[in-house]
Amino acid sequence: MARKSEKFLELYGYDMLLGSIAAFYVFMVPYTKVEESFNVQAMHDILYHRHQIERYDHLEFSGVVPRTFVGNQLKHSPVYSSVYAHRLQHLTSKLYSLYAVRLVLGGIVLSTLRFFRIQKKFGSQVEAFFIILTASQFHLLSSSKYIGICSRSVFVHSYFFRYEINLAYGFWFNGSLYAALNCMVFATLVFRCDILLLIAPLGLELLLTKSVSFWKALTSCLAAAFLSIGLTVLVDSFIWRRWLWPELEVFWFNSVLNRSSEWGTHPFRWYFTSALPRSLLAAYPLFLLGVILDGRVFFFILPVLSFVLLYSKLPHKELRLIISSIPIFNFAAAVAASRVYNNRKKSFWKFMYIAMLGLMLGSLACTAVFFMAAYENYPSGYALKALHRIGGVTKNSDELSVHIDTFSVMNGISRFCEDNYP
């Protein structure tokens, strides 16, 4: 029995650690921001309205550009059973369903992160440092406004596109290069058209190093492209009640018309001076060290770094737009941390080891501050929860109603916050 427990912890201990942190964030900060509103409402409608598409939220509040329902349809099956069991218990709050949705989605995404990090090329010690760095960061596992690779059901499809990108990274590291390219093609055409800025430098690198055949890569990617476009057009045209390819309209709006800048702009350097330092924390200086210490790391870093540089040309910038680069940067940082740890007893490396420990402690401190800020970042969700408690004990009226203004919808309220549903 003890051996089985040790074997289980050896195989899944890291997953339990990351899963526990992600679950903690889910229960402590369950609410969502406006950036996540489309997919949160879509998941709600699929679970509760199912085939009654005329009742779906997107037909009344369509948003600036249409988004795909493909990810939400694929997420529906593993989530519905838990939500249905909850409904059978006649519980009154849909908030329990939001917990269930985000926990299930978190488990799925963590499984793809596991697929990426379990590789034999760099050894188990690099994997251990990858876990330490990831666990000490806030934005990758959190449920804050900015991203939550595990629990945010989906920051403008961030959930499912990160699922695909993590798979692509795993295939890339394991040598299944055509599968990696196909995953990125699917993610680009269905979930985020700007992943084109990642697949282009990666594809170019693979061609220049003769890692793939041009014609085989072309035919493979074209087949994946036709299947991806057919799937999204078929599903989304039916649900949106008009013929459309969502990511084509998003590309036209953001890139051709350049209207994303209406939501704010930042200078070219912003990703490197603000977004990446906040999200990577200790891994930021370490990933640069990893490139210097191990020549193999540069092959993996170059396409991702090119992706961030290309994205920096666009005036509108958000951390979520480059969040798919974080696992690769963490991997490079883990390589550096492993090298420093192995040489910690040597005179010169001893100071680097002390500095690395200080950086990791600093990361934990920053993560604690970020979490406390995130906890207070959803005033409308807490306000509506308090209002439900007040309404539950008020007997003066058979029906109570309240107006939800724009600020409230932007700061914590979604359909999952509704109470007393039939």
Side-chain angles (χ1 to χ4, degrees):
M1 190 68 179
R3 287 184 178 180
K4 288 184 178 181
S5 299
E6 290 177 4
K7 187 66 174 177
F8 179 83
L9 288 176
E10 182 182 343
L11 291 174
Y12 302 107
Y14 293 149
D15 302 285
M16 292 175 64
L17 173 63
L18 296 182
S20 298
I21 295 172
F24 171 78
Y25 288 140
V26 167
F27 286 110
M28 294 304 294
V29 191
Y31 302 107
T32 55
K33 282 281 185 178
V34 64
E35 295 92 338
E36 304 149 298
S37 60
F38 169 76
N39 283 274
V40 170
Q41 311 290 21
M43 197 70 220
H44 168 276
D45 293 340
I46 291 170
L47 290 172
Y48 287 94
H49 300 320
R50 305 191 71 187
H51 305 300
Q52 299 174 300
I53 296 177
E54 67 279 358
R55 298 182 63 184
Y56 278 32
D57 183 86
H58 73 283
L59 296 178
E60 184 177 359
F61 305 102
S62 58
V64 178
V65 289
R67 290 293 184 176
T68 183
F69 274 81
V70 171
N72 294 294
Q73 291 288 347
L74 294 174
K75 289 179 283 187
H76 168 265
S77 298
V79 173
Y80 186 75
S81 58
S82 60
V83 172
Y84 185 72
H86 146 238
R87 293 179 69 184
L88 288 178
Q89 297 174 12
H90 304 291
L91 297 174
T92 59
S93 177
K94 288 184 181 179
L95 193 59
Y96 294 105
S97 300
L98 183 58
Y99 288 131
V101 166
R102 291 180 54 195
L103 288 171
V104 170
L105 300 185
I108 294 172
V109 178
L110 279 176
S111 68
T112 64
L113 194 64
R114 172 186 171 83
F115 177 68
F116 160 65
R117 63 177 169 79
I118 294 181
Q119 41 79 27
K120 299 178 181 179
K121 188 175 296 185
F122 291 90
S124 58
Q125 188 169 285
V126 170
E127 180 190 3
F129 277 108
F130 178 88
I131 295 298
I132 292 171
L133 291 168
T134 301
S136 64
Q137 294 166 347
F138 178 69
H139 296 94
L140 205 58
L141 295 175
S142 76
S143 55
S144 71
K145 172 182 176 181
Y146 295 107
I147 328 307
I149 193 171
C150 294
S151 57
R152 279 286 133 188
S153 80
V154 282
F155 216 130
V156 193
H157 324 317
S158 291
Y159 154 77
F160 217 86
F161 110 80
R162 282 197 303 266
Y163 172 89
E164 287 292 323
I165 296 302
N166 285 342
L167 283 180
Y169 287 155
F171 285 127
W172 181 20
F173 273 63
N174 290 315
S176 302
L177 303 180
Y178 298 104
L181 292 173
N182 289 338
C183 284
M184 289 194 179
V185 167
F186 184 80
T188 300
L189 298 177
V190 177
F191 299 110
R192 288 212 63 89
C193 59
D194 39 33
I195 293 301
L196 179 65
L197 299 178
L198 176 59
I199 195 174
L202 174 60
L204 182 61
E205 180 182 80
L206 294 178
L207 287 172
L208 291 177
T209 57
K210 297 183 179 181
S211 301
V212 297
S213 162
F214 173 78
W215 292 111
K216 186 175 180 180
L218 180 63
T219 55
S220 177
C221 290
L222 282 176
F226 284 124
L227 289 173
S228 302
I229 294 171
L231 176 64
T232 184
V233 170
L234 182 66
V235 171
D236 293 309
S237 296
F238 174 74
I239 297 180
W240 281 93
R241 303 297 177 90
R242 65 182 177 90
W243 285 104
L244 94 152
W245 172 10
E247 280 309 294
L248 180 61
E249 296 196 16
V250 172
F251 175 78
W252 184 265
F253 182 89
N254 287 340
S255 301
V256 178
L257 301 179
N258 195 26
R259 291 191 58 189
S260 61
S261 59
E262 296 174 10
W263 277 261
T265 62
H266 290 93
F268 179 87
R269 65 181 184 278
W270 186 79
Y271 284 132
F272 297 96
T273 59
S274 179
L276 287 176
R278 280 186 289 116
S279 56
L280 291 174
L281 298 175
Y284 193 53
L286 286 174
F287 100 78
L288 296 170
L289 184 61
V291 174
I292 297 171
L293 294 176
D294 193 326
R296 297 173 297 172
V297 172
F298 183 73
F299 175 81
F300 296 102
I301 281 290
L302 183 59
V304 177
L305 195 58
S306 301
F307 164 67
V308 179
L309 284 168
L310 289 170
Y311 228 134
S312 297
K313 295 287 289 182
L314 296 177
H316 179 67
K317 296 177 176 63
E318 297 182 46
L319 173 56
R320 66 184 176 89
L321 301 178
I322 62 160
I323 196 68
S324 57
S325 65
I326 300 301
I328 297 295
F329 288 130
N330 278 348
F331 146 74
V335 171
S338 178
R339 181 70 66 86
V340 172
Y341 178 79
N342 288 336
N343 293 279
R344 66 189 183 281
K345 294 182 179 180
K346 299 178 183 179
S347 57
F348 173 75
W349 292 87
K350 185 182 299 182
F351 297 102
M352 295 185 68
Y353 178 64
I354 294 172
M356 183 180 76
L357 293 179
L359 284 171
M360 290 182 176
L361 290 174
S363 290
L364 291 174
C366 289
T367 295
V369 173
F370 290 156
F371 167 72
M372 290 187 288
Y375 185 77
E376 302 293 340
N377 208 21
Y378 301 85
S380 305
Y382 298 123
L384 187 59
K385 184 177 181 179
L387 188 66
H388 285 321
R389 288 199 298 266
I390 297 172
V393 298
T394 302
K395 306 298 182 182
N396 297 331
S397 174
D398 293 333
E399 182 177 342
L400 300 175
S401 62
V402 61
H403 171 68
I404 298 175
D405 62 12
T406 304
F407 178 85
S408 301
V409 175
M410 291 174 64
N411 291 278
I413 293 180
S414 68
R415 295 286 187 187
F416 279 107
C417 294
E418 294 173 338
D419 216 339
N420 299 317
Y421 60 89

